[in-house]
Amino acid sequence: MITLGVFFGGMSVEHEISVISALQTIHAFPEFKYNIVPIYISKDGEWYTGPGLTAVQNYRNMSKLLSWCEKVYMTPNRGDFNLYRYKSNMFKGKVVTKIDVAFPILHGSYGEDGSLQGLFEMIGIPYVGSNLRASNIAMDKIATKYMCKANNIPCVDYMWTTDREWFEQHDAKKAEAEEIGYPLIVKPAGLGSSVGISKAANSEELDAAVELASKFTDKIIIEKMVQNLQEINCSVYGSYHDCHASVLEEPVRSGDILSYKDKYMGSGSAKGGAKGMKFGAKGGKFGSKSGSQGMSGSQRKCPADLPEDVTKYIQQLAIKTFKEMNATGIIRIDFMRDSVNGDVYVNEINAIPGSLAFYLWEATGKKFVDVLDEVINIAIKEAQEKHKLKVSFDQNIFAMGAGISPKLGGAKR
Ligand SMILES: Nc1ncnc2c1ncn2[C@@H]1O[C@H](COP(=O)(O)OP(=O)(O)O)[C@@H](O)[C@H]1O
Ligand SMILES: [Mg+2]
């Protein structure tokens, strides 16, 4: 049986959403299919494991839950797939278990942005989902724009600034932003969940919007606001040579901007959407009426209300984006459409989408567990392929002697 290390939580503003996504995924697997090892990363970056981590009700009392768990770590050494405990004793050795495949289900910083993926690359362990470069492109809204522009994928006009530039060269930077034309949307470049995002319809609001965004990051993106906005999301899963687009959904907004509340605290009555797994049978529901069901709890129209040719176009654009950015696993691409003139833009890419977009796959007629099996197999296959690649030449330039000097600048070119 494959031992699957499911990593979740993390040093991110989307910590809690990650817990929900991970537990939804863990409970989607039939029992005994995989040996699942939950690895919870605390907000301080400490790693814990223990069976109590898979029951949602235990998260009501974090300190109690963690007192039942063991603090663990992995080393960055290549080929060492062991999960180690900090406190070993005569009865318990240092190794908790060996992990065959790592499955990061984290959202936002240090988990979805390529950081953890970088650690997995160093170790050489197979891991589910996008590599560190694709993850980082998706996480950084500026890098996403570069990737789209370079590949003729439509995205809205924008400029970016650091907070320092904005305050030091205020008039020039503001003029640059105003050239795009009001109304504008201002966002921190590397966050998610609508945190720090606001609309600016005039000069005063622009200053206030940049001020707000600068509280969260030093890189700020200012972009044209799409009028008559219809938001459309599409999930893509697979690998470069074999990837599939889901049905489209249209999230329902309560205001101008799709808010944190809209995304995660809707009524859960997904209109016409996927029923099924809000929370798996064994997991217990996320009790409260406000419905903490991650992305699966938001209100949506599914499938989105669009003519067939537009649906097809957006699905093709989703596949193109997945391939051009070289993504792997399950991602979700969020589009914006002007419902009057029909223009479509890629807004953002989620390398590890909320609830792993299971509700979109179920609405597509695909069993979520089959999608999970496939992305786990892709992780194993891609790691095997990578293993075959050369990482060094069998040549020792030191033994060849010539032209190497310990003095700086002494090396021959
Ligand atoms: N250019 C835009 N025009 C109109 N609305 C926008 C624009 N950019 C973002 N929004 C609104 O703000 C929401 C959050 O922005 P988004 O870029 O998706 O950030 P996040 O990563 O926080 O989800 C979107 O879902 C949409 O409602
Ligand atoms: Mg978004």
Side-chain angles (χ1 to χ4, degrees):
M1 200 179 341
I2 290 174
T3 298
L4 201 61
V6 178
F7 292 76
F8 61 100
M11 297 181 284
S12 158
V13 293
E14 295 170 281
H15 180 99
E16 285 77 10
I17 311 301
S18 154
V19 173
I20 299 167
S21 296
L23 298 198
Q24 284 172 328
T25 306
I26 288 171
H27 291 290
F29 287 113
E31 238 168 316
F32 309 120
K33 174 139 200 173
Y34 296 94
N35 174 28
I36 293 178
V37 179
I39 299 149
Y40 167 77
I41 304 178
S42 74
K43 289 182 180 175
D44 302 329
E46 291 181 330
W47 295 16
Y48 294 88
T49 194
L53 288 167
T54 60
V56 66
Q57 59 275 14
N58 292 341
Y59 288 80
R60 295 206 179 111
N61 189 338
M62 253 351 266
S63 50
K64 200 160 150 197
L65 171 57
L66 294 187
S67 73
W68 298 333
C69 296
E70 287 193 285
K71 234 175 112 177
V72 291
Y73 63 93
M74 288 178 84
T75 79
N77 296 328
R78 193 139 194 99
D80 183 358
F81 297 178
N82 287 330
L83 188 67
Y84 294 99
R85 56 171 60 89
Y86 274 85
K87 288 187 184 156
S88 55
N89 57 35
M90 322 173 31
F91 308 105
K92 285 188 196 166
K94 267 203 111 30
V95 177
V96 179
T97 185
K98 177 174 164 274
I99 294 169
D100 297 314
V101 180
F103 196 158
I105 310 183
L106 298 108
H107 307 309
S109 48
Y110 299 105
E112 187 182 358
D113 62 1
S115 309
L116 189 60
Q117 290 74 7
L119 177 64
F120 295 148
E121 288 284 347
M122 292 290 289
I123 300 173
I125 191 168
Y127 62 95
V128 177
S130 292
N131 63 26
L132 79 164
R133 190 173 50 85
S135 303
N136 207 257
I137 290 173
M139 195 70 215
D140 185 326
K141 291 186 196 309
I142 302 165
T144 302
K145 297 265 195 220
Y146 290 159
M147 188 279 298
C148 288
K149 291 233 182 261
N151 292 294
N152 284 325
I153 296 167
C155 58
V156 296
D157 282 347
Y158 76 103
M159 57 90 68
W160 73 274
T161 175
T162 66
D163 55 349
R164 189 167 148 190
E165 266 176 348
W166 181 264
F167 296 115
E168 284 180 3
Q169 307 161 36
H170 180 259
D171 292 355
K173 284 287 153 192
K174 194 165 181 182
E176 202 184 318
E178 287 185 327
E179 210 162 288
I180 300 169
Y182 291 111
L184 293 164
I185 293 276
V186 180
K187 336 182 186 183
L191 284 186
S193 290
S194 301
V195 176
I197 298 183
S198 55
K199 173 184 159 185
N202 55 48
S203 162
E204 248 169 50
E205 286 180 12
L206 181 56
D207 282 324
V210 175
E211 177 100 39
L212 173 72
S214 71
K215 293 207 163 76
F216 297 94
T217 57
D218 55 350
K219 271 161 78 191
I220 294 155
I221 189 158
I222 302 174
E223 66 181 39
K224 182 97 191 144
M225 181 168 182
V226 175
Q227 302 295 307
N228 316 301
L229 177 66
Q230 187 182 18
E231 296 187 59
I232 309 286
N233 302 342
C234 178
S235 181
V236 179
Y237 89 89
S239 59
Y240 186 87
H241 294 290
D242 185 23
C243 51
H244 313 269
S246 74
V247 292
L248 307 183
E249 65 162 339
E250 184 176 342
V252 176
R253 289 192 307 274
S254 55
D256 273 345
I257 287 175
L258 191 70
S259 67
Y260 187 91
K261 235 175 157 176
D262 295 331
K263 286 176 182 173
Y264 307 119
M265 299 164 104
S267 72
S269 59
K271 276 187 207 146
K275 298 188 268 41
M277 189 183 84
K278 283 204 183 98
F279 214 89
K282 292 161 277 138
K285 290 226 172 78
F286 265 94
S288 74
K289 272 232 178 71
S290 64
S292 316
Q293 292 152 5
M295 274 304 286
S296 66
S298 67
Q299 285 215 31
R300 62 177 61 83
K301 285 185 212 151
C302 185
D305 187 13
L306 289 170
E308 210 180 303
D309 57 332
V310 178
T311 299
K312 282 229 171 75
Y313 168 69
I314 293 178
Q315 285 170 328
Q316 275 164 9
L317 208 51
I319 297 265
K320 178 175 165 65
T321 308
F322 182 95
K323 293 181 79 152
E324 298 290 10
M325 69 183 282
N326 206 351
T328 317
I330 309 167
I331 72 168
R332 197 189 76 228
I333 301 168
D334 296 352
F335 296 87
M336 295 188 287
R337 177 171 183 263
D338 182 327
S339 58
V340 172
N341 69 18
D343 288 346
V344 171
Y345 308 94
V346 166
N347 177 33
E348 62 156 342
I349 305 162
N350 300 280
I352 306 180
S355 301
L356 295 188
F358 77 81
Y359 49 91
L360 283 176
W361 291 107
E362 299 205 325
T364 307
K366 188 105 190 148
K367 272 201 199 140
F368 185 53
V369 64
D370 292 344
V371 174
L372 293 173
D373 280 344
E374 281 190 53
V375 293
I376 291 165
N377 284 332
I378 290 168
I380 295 168
K381 221 170 106 200
E382 292 206 340
Q384 282 166 350
E385 299 279 316
K386 227 184 265 172
H387 203 68
K388 288 190 207 144
L389 299 175
K390 271 184 170 299
V391 289
S392 65
F393 289 115
D394 287 334
Q395 256 181 28
N396 184 348
I397 58 163
F398 298 105
M400 284 154 52
I404 298 170
S405 156
K407 276 196 210 137
L408 281 179
K412 269 193 194 150
R413 299 259 168 104

